[in-house]
Amino acid sequence: MTKEILIKNGIMLTMEEDIPVLENGALLVKDNTIAEITTTNTPALNTGDMEIIDASGAIVMPGLVNCHTHLPMSLFRGLADDLPLDKWLNNYIFPAEAEQINPDSVKKWAIHSCCELIRSGTTTCCDGYFYEDQVAQAILTSGLRGVAGQGVLDFPAPGVPDPGKNIEHAAEFAEKWKNISSRIQPSIFCHSPYTCSDHTLKQAKKTSRALGILFQIHVAETETEVALSQKSHNLSPVEHLERLRILDEHTLLSHGVWVDEKDAAIIKKTGAGIVHCPKSNMKLASGIAPVPMFMKQGIILGLGTDGSASNNSLDLFSEMDCAAKLHKCAAQDPCAVKAVDVLTMATLGGAAAIGLDHEIGSLKKGKKADIIIIDCNKPHLVPLYDPFSALVYQAKGSDVCLVMVDGRIIYKAEKNG
């Protein structure tokens, strides 16, 4: 049994509707769980031998959830910038992956990315890539919580030279990791409707359902993809997936840039979640996802960085700032997407999108102790009128001074750092 930890005197941002902020809060961690969250002046919390963390001048909040990334792709950060998606992917990334991706490189760069995530306050990531066994091991070793999705394509891919065995390979991976650690949830990640046949999509989803795991897919990322779907199926990508019975509450749709109101109604009806990746979409000029429409429809929304080859950062604080401002500008409305909206996407919304909101995403008694502390004693965080606003528009990943996952401190900044 691990030592109890008491975090006190901080501004507790719970992300719960009933009590969103505790100005002078205290949070007790027992084993890997939040045992109590209340005010610092509650005597019952002082139960004797425990580690006490004084969070005076700091914000205590749930760890961030990065709902869409490709961890090993930090290897390709800056390799091919300022290109449209099709050229970036086909002329540079796919050839580079064929040449450089192997079990050793995947594990090395996945660990590298995990370090970046931890240092910038992410406690849970949702990954999709190849050699995912090595990625899952990297996440586990780093101390993070993660969803690890084995990539599926209908042509030879790293680790799966025979595309005819893509579902079999993904199923073996998922079976292996289902019970290794409570911090790792396996998943199947079909790259997209245009790189996977209808048969592959249906079989992958059937396997995901049978195993009770998340199914991930890139959807409607570019206007070209939508045009191709209309030409091939006379349906939008979302309509095509619905016809194949792919969409349900255990389906995660990444990007959703070119989604109209009809598509959004289908997504809402099926209970699928969407991951918004604004910086990647901006960098590749893919477009602007209709996030205000998603919010109005009540669609489950998470936030993701995408891989650092197309971002080129895994810092969700930067992503939040970008998301809020992008939609204000696009709608010419400063109220279009507010700070609290994107902070929800990066915490409780993201947890819901990957099916873990019963465990993480908010500071609540009984949930897992995935917690970060932000040092507000920085010039750019003073004064602090509104913690939601400060975190989205002022804070940086480098302001994170403590990261706890599953009740264990995995990062603590040096006093002089």
Side-chain angles (χ1 to χ4, degrees), residues 2 19 34 37 84 93 95 117 125 138 185 208 216 258 301 332 341 361 363 368 372 380 408:
T2 57
I19 309 177
I34 298 172
I37 178 166
I93 297 302
L117 291 174
C125 62
Q185 304 296 319
S208 297
Q216 305 179 56
W258 295 91
L301 272 174
Q332 296 186 313
D341 298 326
L363 302 183
K368 301 296 185 186
I372 61 173
H380 59 278
R408 188 169 70 89

Side-chain angles (χ1 to χ4, degrees), residues 278-354:
K279 289 178 69 177
S280 175
N281 296 154
M282 290 170 66
K283 183 166 181 273
L284 293 168
S286 299
I288 303 173
V291 167
M293 181 180 73
F294 296 156
M295 291 168 53
K296 186 176 180 181
Q297 292 262 18
I299 291 170
I300 298 168
L301 272 174
L303 194 67
T305 57
D306 210 344
S308 52
S310 64
N311 186 312
N312 302 24
S313 167
L314 299 179
D315 184 350
L316 271 182
F317 281 97
S318 174
E319 205 76 30
M320 286 192 288
D321 177 64
C322 179
K325 292 174 181 174
L326 171 65
H327 295 290
K328 295 177 192 298
C329 186
Q332 296 186 313
D333 177 4
C335 303
V337 176
K338 300 177 182 178
V340 67
D341 298 326
V342 291
L343 198 64
T344 299
M345 289 163 56
T347 53
L348 193 55
I354 60 175

Side-chain angles (χ1 to χ4, degrees), residues 9 13 41 93 174 186 201 234 251 256-257 278 282 313 341 352 417:
N9 300 327
L13 221 62
N41 296 324
I93 297 302
L201 292 170
N234 199 30
T251 299
V257 175
M282 290 170 66
S313 167
D341 298 326

Side-chain angles (χ1 to χ4, degrees), residues 42-319:
T42 304
L45 291 182
N46 299 314
T47 58
D49 184 34
M50 60 172 62
E51 180 178 355
I52 296 178
I53 297 172
D54 188 348
S56 299
I59 294 173
V60 182
M61 64 176 290
L64 302 181
V65 180
N66 189 336
C67 278
H68 182 62
T69 190
H70 312 293
L71 295 178
M73 291 190 78
S74 53
L75 169 60
F76 305 124
R77 193 193 317 254
L79 170 69
D81 290 336
D82 306 325
L83 293 167
L85 177 62
D86 57 344
K87 290 185 179 179
W88 175 81
L89 200 57
N90 294 309
N91 296 355
Y92 293 90
I93 297 302
F94 282 160
E97 286 178 332
E99 182 180 338
Q100 298 184 53
I101 290 300
N102 56 61
D104 290 340
S105 65
V106 162
K107 189 168 184 180
K108 173 183 175 180
W109 290 99
I111 284 283
H112 182 95
S113 293
C114 287
C115 292
E116 185 178 354
L117 291 174
I118 292 167
R119 290 291 294 264
S120 55
T122 290
T123 55
T124 298
C125 62
C126 184
D127 185 76
Y129 206 62
F130 309 106
Y131 290 116
E132 197 66 12
D133 190 64
Q134 280 70 31
V135 177
Q137 188 61 57
I139 296 170
L140 185 63
T141 300
S142 74
L144 284 171
R145 189 182 306 279
V147 175
Q150 172 59 42
V152 172
L153 291 168
D154 271 338
F155 51 85
V160 193
D162 180 0
K165 296 183 177 179
N166 52 16
I167 306 301
E168 178 185 340
H169 186 82
E172 289 174 357
F173 162 78
E175 289 277 14
K176 174 182 176 180
W177 280 92
K178 262 188 75 71
N179 299 305
I180 287 181
S181 169
S182 62
R183 285 194 288 110
I184 306 295
Q185 304 296 319
S187 168
I188 294 178
F189 168 58
C190 283
H191 179 267
S192 66
Y194 60 88
T195 55
C196 295
S197 68
D198 290 0
H199 174 74
T200 294
L201 292 170
K202 288 190 290 186
Q203 287 301 115
K205 183 59 183 178
K206 180 180 178 181
T207 303
S208 297
R209 284 195 176 108
L211 293 170
I213 61 176
L214 188 70
F215 175 91
Q216 305 179 56
I217 188 166
H218 292 127
V219 173
E221 186 174 358
T222 65
E223 194 171 20
T224 301
E225 178 192 339
V226 176
L228 179 63
S229 182
Q230 290 287 358
K231 182 179 179 180
S232 302
H233 310 290
N234 199 30
L235 297 167
S236 73
V238 171
E239 290 174 320
H240 180 215
L241 293 179
E242 183 195 30
R243 188 195 67 178
L244 297 176
R245 302 182 183 276
I246 301 297
L247 304 180
D248 60 24
E249 67 275 14
H250 301 297
T251 299
L252 185 65
L253 308 175
S254 297
H255 300 294
V257 175
W258 295 91
V259 169
D260 61 19
E261 289 193 0
K262 184 178 179 182
D263 292 331
I266 291 170
I267 295 167
K268 171 60 177 176
K269 179 185 70 177
T270 60
I274 295 180
V275 188
H276 181 36
C277 304
K279 289 178 69 177
S280 175
N281 296 154
M282 290 170 66
K283 183 166 181 273
L284 293 168
S286 299
I288 303 173
V291 167
M293 181 180 73
F294 296 156
M295 291 168 53
K296 186 176 180 181
Q297 292 262 18
I299 291 170
I300 298 168
L301 272 174
L303 194 67
T305 57
D306 210 344
S308 52
S310 64
N311 186 312
N312 302 24
S313 167
L314 299 179
D315 184 350
L316 271 182
F317 281 97
S318 174
E319 205 76 30

